[in-house]
């Protein structure tokens, strides 16, 4: 914690180095709210022969925290970018700025240097474009500004939208019926949305000087398309309300969309955008975006997943993690299939822990995801996949991708066979975990018209011998069993930890994303390798595949295929 005597040493050094001219201490006040003592000193720097006053504030955590620098007053150099209304200078453009905590005076010198550069750029208009990229920040600091949530999709066409008012305050604007918030208590009013689409950008007004009605009309009409102008003509014919809201948007130079609004009160005679109108108050509206386009991830690529349907069969430890990972990756339409309930014994291995209200895994997951993630549609099937298939309630071709995380080879081989004989089956990913954290796997099949499938992994190289099924991808040597009795009554579990499940889920989810993006054109088996210490201590033997490096495993990801595979092998017309 920075103490007063330490601050005095720093301040003395700042004076000796003449970092600020006429430097003097301003305050050592304690801000009770967050219990931070703030040490502030003031001084001058010269910007193009103009002396401007800067305040430098250090909190208790300095030099772990950066100094806050304020320009006093904020418009000493006119209205320039990166200065907040209280004069705070946004001199750190990148969050990862590394400062040497053993050199506090150096940190202050660096901060002042950056501030000076920023002020010079502001004065010469060199960084004027930055106003546009951070438009909403400046708009949000205007006097009397009111904050609303925005659910409108910000298209490039003008449209009528709805403003939701609770008691005497507008709380949201929307163009859809999706009920994220409880609007039952709200009254709805019509409003309009106008995208500004012109080549000349609209710059934010200065904090203490909002646009006049005249200027607002100017901004809107000189940046409106023919379509918007026609739209406004139609609006002009409608009966005017006492309060009118106009929401505007513009594309920023860096390609984002900024959105902002204006509330007109005491409106008479005509819509406020019309010449004939009289208006009492003009209030800027700052909007916090909650719309689908803004919130939903893009799945790491340009291709959107909006219409992709994914089924996840098996929502145990690995599947539980996959369900959450794949939603975060951008999949919006997910079907979960699992008949099991959450077991107290698995509390720390399942992503849902234990849940008394929703004992069924799929229902607990659906509830959890839908509460946290808006715009997501989860279908939960609490039956086994065998039962759903037998009752014709599951159709492979309803999906763009199927992920199987059952950990039951018999059922998985059955699904593998079914998908290869069913017309229009999508690609399938099988994923499973090794015991004792030695690794995990994800196999893709039925993708891109290529061969390679789960059956290939189980085909014996020496078919004449009658052997029990063995998975050739396994990191454990043939003929060992790992199920361990947890309780006397014999509920079986294979020893693994939640971390192993999570890592396997990430492997499978990354593979799923590359399939949905059309980046993976063949059928690889991907594996991750963990440490073998616990496995060996329990007296088990590793397979020769485990001795390969991760690099070798990756390079040989397609070489598991068996040309004689009865499921995926090349079919001849005999
Ligand atoms: Zn900034
Ligand atoms: Zn095969």
């Amino acid at each position: 914690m920075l103490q007063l005597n330490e601050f005095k040493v720093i301040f003395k050094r700042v004076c000796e180095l003449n970092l600020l001219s006429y430097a003097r201490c301003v305050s050592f006040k304690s801000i009770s709210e967050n219990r931070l003592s703030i040490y502030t000193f003031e001084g001058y720097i010269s910007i193009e022969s103009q002396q401007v006053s800067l305040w430098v504030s250090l909190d208790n955590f300095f030099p772990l925290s950066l100094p806050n620098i304020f320009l006093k007053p904020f418009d000493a150099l006119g209205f320039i970018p990166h200065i907040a209304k209280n004069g705070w200078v946004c001199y750190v453009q990148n969050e990862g700025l590394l400062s040497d905590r053993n050199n506090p005076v150096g940190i202050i010198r660096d901060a002042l240097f950056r501030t000076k550069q920023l002020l010079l750029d502001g004065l010469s208009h060199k960084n004027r474009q930055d106003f546009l990229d951070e438009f909403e920040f400046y708009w949000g600091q205007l006097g009397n500004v009111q904050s609303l949530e925005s659910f409108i999709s910000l298209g490039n066409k003008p449209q009528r939208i709805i403003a939701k008012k609770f008691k005497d305050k507008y709380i949201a604007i929307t163009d859809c019926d999706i009920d994220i918030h409880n609007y039952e208590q709200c009254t709805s009013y019509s409003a309009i949305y106008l995208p500004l689409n012109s080549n000349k950008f609209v710059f934010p007004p200065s904090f203490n000087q909002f646009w006049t009605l005249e200027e607002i009309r100017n901004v809107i009409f000189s940046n409106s398309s023919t379509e918007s102008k026609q739209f406004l003509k139609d609006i002009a014919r409608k009966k005017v309300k006492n309060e009118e809201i106009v929401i505007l948007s513009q594309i920023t130079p860096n390609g984002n969309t900024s959105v902002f609004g204006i509330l007109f009160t005491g409106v008479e005679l005509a819509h406020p955008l019309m010449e004939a109108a009289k208006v009492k108050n003009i209030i800027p509206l700052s909007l916090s975006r909650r719309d689908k386009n803004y919130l939903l991830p893009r799945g790491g690529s340009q291709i959107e997943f909006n219409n992709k349907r994914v089924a996840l069969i098996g929502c145990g430890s690995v599947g539980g993690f996959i369900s959450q990972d794949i939603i975060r990756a951008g999949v919006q339409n997910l079907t979960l299939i699992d008949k099991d309930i959450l077991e107290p014994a698995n509390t720390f291995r399942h992503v849902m822990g234990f849940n008394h209200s929703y004992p069924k895994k799929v229902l607990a997951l659906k509830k959890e995801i839908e509460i946290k993630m808006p715009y997501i549609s989860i279908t939960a099937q609490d039956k086994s996949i065998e039962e759903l298939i037998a009752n014709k309630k599951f159709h492979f071709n309803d999906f763009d991708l199927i992920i199987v995380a059952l950990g039951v080879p018999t059922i998985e081989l059955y699904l593998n066979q079914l998908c290869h004989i069913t017309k229009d089956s999508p690609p399938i990913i099988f994923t499973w975990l090794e015991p004792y954290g030695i690794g995990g796997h994800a196999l893709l099949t039925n993708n891109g018209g290529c061969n390679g499938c789960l059956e290939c992994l189980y085909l014996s190289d020496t078919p004449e011998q009658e052997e029990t099924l063995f998975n050739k991808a396994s990191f454990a040597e043939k003929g060992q069993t790992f199920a361990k009795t947890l309780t006397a009554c014999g509920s079986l579990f294979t020893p693994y930890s939640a971390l192993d499940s999570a890592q396997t889920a990430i492997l499978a989810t990354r593979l799923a994303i590359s399939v949905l993006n059309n980046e993976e054109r063949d059928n690889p088996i991907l594996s991750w390798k963990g440490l073998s210490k616990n496995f060996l201590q329990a007296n088990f033997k590793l397979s020769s595949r485990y001795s390969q490096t991760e690099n070798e495993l990756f390079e040989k990801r397609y070489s598991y295929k068996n040309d004689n595979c009865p499921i995926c092998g090349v079919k001849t017309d005999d």
Side-chain angles (χ1 to χ4, degrees):
M1 295 293 260
L2 184 68
Q3 303 301 329
L4 183 57
N5 53 341
E6 294 168 307
F7 169 71
K8 283 180 173 165
V9 173
I10 291 171
F11 178 65
K12 192 164 164 252
R13 192 74 190 123
V14 166
C15 294
E16 284 165 8
L17 291 170
N18 205 20
L19 296 183
L20 290 170
S21 33
Y22 307 109
R24 66 177 186 93
C25 286
V26 178
S27 73
F28 316 104
K29 76 174 164 202
S30 234
I31 296 183
S32 55
E33 258 174 73
N34 49 12
R35 300 238 183 91
L36 285 180
S37 298
I38 306 284
Y39 307 107
T40 303
F41 55 91
E42 181 199 20
Y44 293 83
I45 59 169
S46 99
I47 303 291
E48 298 285 348
S49 77
Q50 202 175 327
Q51 293 281 95
V52 295
S53 162
L54 294 181
W55 287 29
V56 179
S57 283
L58 311 176
D59 65 34
N60 273 161
F61 295 103
F62 182 81
L64 289 180
S65 63
L66 286 170
N68 282 308
I69 298 186
F70 300 85
L71 174 66
K72 294 284 176 184
F74 81 89
D75 55 355
L77 296 167
F79 184 50
I80 59 173
H82 303 292
I83 312 290
K85 198 178 176 179
N86 62 359
W88 181 75
V89 181
C90 154
Y91 65 84
V92 185
Q93 310 287 343
N94 56 330
E95 274 182 57
L97 183 79
L98 184 66
S99 49
D100 179 2
R101 67 181 195 284
N102 296 315
N103 181 7
V105 177
I107 293 174
I108 294 171
R109 187 204 286 125
D110 182 52
L112 286 168
F113 176 79
R114 286 163 185 270
T115 298
K116 183 167 182 173
Q117 198 52 51
L118 207 63
L119 298 180
L120 283 168
D121 290 350
L123 198 63
S124 65
H125 295 301
K126 195 175 155 196
N127 62 1
R128 189 155 180 264
Q129 291 277 317
D130 294 2
F131 267 139
L132 299 170
D133 291 331
E134 294 176 18
F135 188 104
E136 291 168 358
F137 168 78
Y138 302 100
W139 190 267
Q141 302 211 11
L142 288 165
N144 300 326
V145 71
Q146 293 183 13
S147 301
L148 276 76
E149 293 187 336
S150 166
F151 296 90
I152 53 177
S153 51
L154 306 183
N156 53 11
K157 291 190 181 308
Q159 66 173 123
R160 302 189 71 89
I161 53 172
I162 295 163
K164 300 279 188 181
K165 197 177 188 181
F166 182 66
K167 291 181 179 159
D168 56 355
K169 195 181 176 314
Y170 291 97
I171 59 167
I173 51 161
T174 175
D175 61 357
C176 58
D177 290 329
I178 291 180
D179 193 27
I180 295 170
H181 268 271
N182 227 339
Y183 286 142
E184 280 155 21
Q185 309 279 338
C186 292
T187 323
S188 294
Y189 296 91
S190 70
I192 60 173
Y193 165 70
L194 293 169
L196 299 176
N197 42 1
S198 154
N199 297 332
K200 51 180 183 217
F201 290 109
V202 175
F203 285 85
S206 175
F207 300 134
N208 50 13
Q209 211 180 349
F210 190 43
W211 294 330
T212 62
L213 188 54
E214 187 72 33
E215 284 170 323
I216 291 170
R217 289 175 185 153
N218 234 322
V219 160
I220 292 177
F221 281 97
S222 58
N223 291 285
S224 285
S225 61
T226 333
E227 191 183 5
S228 291
K229 282 175 184 153
Q230 184 56 46
F231 177 81
L232 286 172
K233 268 187 195 164
D234 297 341
I235 293 290
R237 281 188 221 112
K238 298 253 156 60
K239 194 169 169 280
V240 67
K241 300 192 297 291
N242 182 257
E243 296 183 342
E244 293 282 355
I245 287 178
V246 176
I247 304 296
L248 303 166
S249 75
Q250 81 172 336
I251 310 282
T252 63
N254 64 13
N256 293 324
T257 304
S258 52
V259 58
F260 48 101
I262 304 168
L263 165 65
F264 303 90
T265 67
V267 181
E268 283 177 57
L269 305 174
H271 189 277
L273 296 185
M274 304 302 137
E275 290 276 354
K278 274 188 163 177
V279 168
K280 203 172 276 168
N281 286 307
I282 306 174
I283 298 156
L285 302 176
S286 163
L287 303 167
S288 149
R289 288 183 66 177
R290 300 281 190 274
D291 57 289
K292 197 170 176 171
N293 288 340
Y294 185 70
L295 292 189
L296 287 174
R298 311 275 151 126
S301 86
Q302 294 312 106
I303 301 159
E304 305 211 16
F305 294 162
N306 288 6
N307 43 11
K308 302 276 183 176
R309 299 149 305 169
V310 176
L312 175 60
I313 302 171
C315 298
S317 191
V318 176
F321 285 110
I322 292 175
S323 70
Q324 306 213 327
D325 292 347
I326 202 147
I327 291 290
R328 289 200 171 86
V331 167
Q332 297 164 35
N333 190 328
L334 180 65
T335 296
L336 302 174
I337 298 165
D338 197 314
K339 69 173 181 355
D340 288 344
I341 59 167
L342 292 163
E343 298 284 357
N346 280 334
T347 300
F348 286 87
R349 298 198 291 182
H350 198 275
V351 72
M352 290 306 302
F354 184 66
N355 188 325
H356 281 282
S357 330
Y358 297 95
K360 290 264 185 169
K361 284 177 183 170
V362 286
L363 297 177
L365 284 168
K366 174 181 162 72
K367 199 79 196 164
E368 164 102 354
I369 293 170
E370 288 181 347
I371 284 174
K372 288 184 181 165
M373 308 288 182
Y375 304 112
I376 299 297
S377 137
I378 304 276
T379 306
Q381 298 269 24
D382 60 352
K383 300 279 187 294
S384 73
I385 185 67
E386 310 89 278
E387 189 180 338
L388 291 172
I389 290 173
N391 294 327
K392 300 200 165 26
K393 295 222 170 100
F394 180 87
H395 307 281
F396 285 91
N397 55 14
D398 282 348
F399 301 97
D400 298 292
L401 176 70
I402 295 171
I403 304 173
V404 182
L406 286 167
V408 185
T410 313
I411 307 289
E412 290 173 345
L413 285 165
Y414 163 68
L415 292 173
N416 180 59
Q417 180 181 23
L418 266 188
C419 91
H420 280 90
I421 57 175
T422 307
K423 200 169 164 282
D424 298 329
S425 281
I428 298 201
I429 291 171
F430 293 96
T431 182
W432 66 97
L433 194 61
E434 297 268 2
Y436 294 95
I438 55 174
H441 314 275
L443 169 80
L444 177 61
T445 187
N446 204 33
N447 182 44
C450 298
N451 69 334
C453 76
L454 190 64
E455 189 78 26
C456 294
L457 287 177
Y458 283 91
L459 286 174
S460 172
D461 297 330
T462 50
E464 58 277 4
Q465 283 173 285
E466 288 279 325
E467 283 184 274
T468 49
L469 286 176
F470 173 70
N471 185 330
K472 273 182 288 189
S474 176
F475 287 151
E477 189 50 61
K478 242 181 232 188
Q480 307 175 90
T481 48
F482 303 99
K484 190 163 137 182
T485 310
L486 183 68
T487 56
C489 62
S491 74
L492 293 174
F493 86 105
T494 314
Y496 62 89
S497 80
L499 287 177
D500 305 329
S501 304
Q503 191 150 355
T504 306
I506 289 170
L507 183 76
T509 306
R510 284 195 193 280
L511 181 56
I513 299 310
S514 66
V515 175
L516 292 173
N517 275 335
N518 270 329
E519 285 160 6
E520 176 59 66
R521 303 301 175 94
D522 202 337
N523 293 313
I525 172 146
L526 304 179
S527 303
W528 69 269
K529 248 175 79 169
L531 298 176
S532 59
K533 188 172 147 252
N534 292 341
F535 181 83
L536 294 173
Q537 261 174 8
N539 279 320
F540 289 112
K541 286 195 190 67
L542 293 161
S543 70
S544 61
R545 188 163 185 262
Y546 181 86
S547 64
Q548 294 182 32
T549 63
E550 297 232 350
N551 233 341
E552 287 169 335
L553 289 169
F554 184 73
E555 272 162 19
K556 293 181 190 165
R557 65 193 182 280
Y558 301 115
S559 47
Y560 70 95
K561 297 178 182 184
N562 189 323
D563 289 340
N564 300 319
C565 175
I567 305 292
C568 72
V570 188
K571 292 176 184 67
T572 49
D573 293 329
D574 287 342

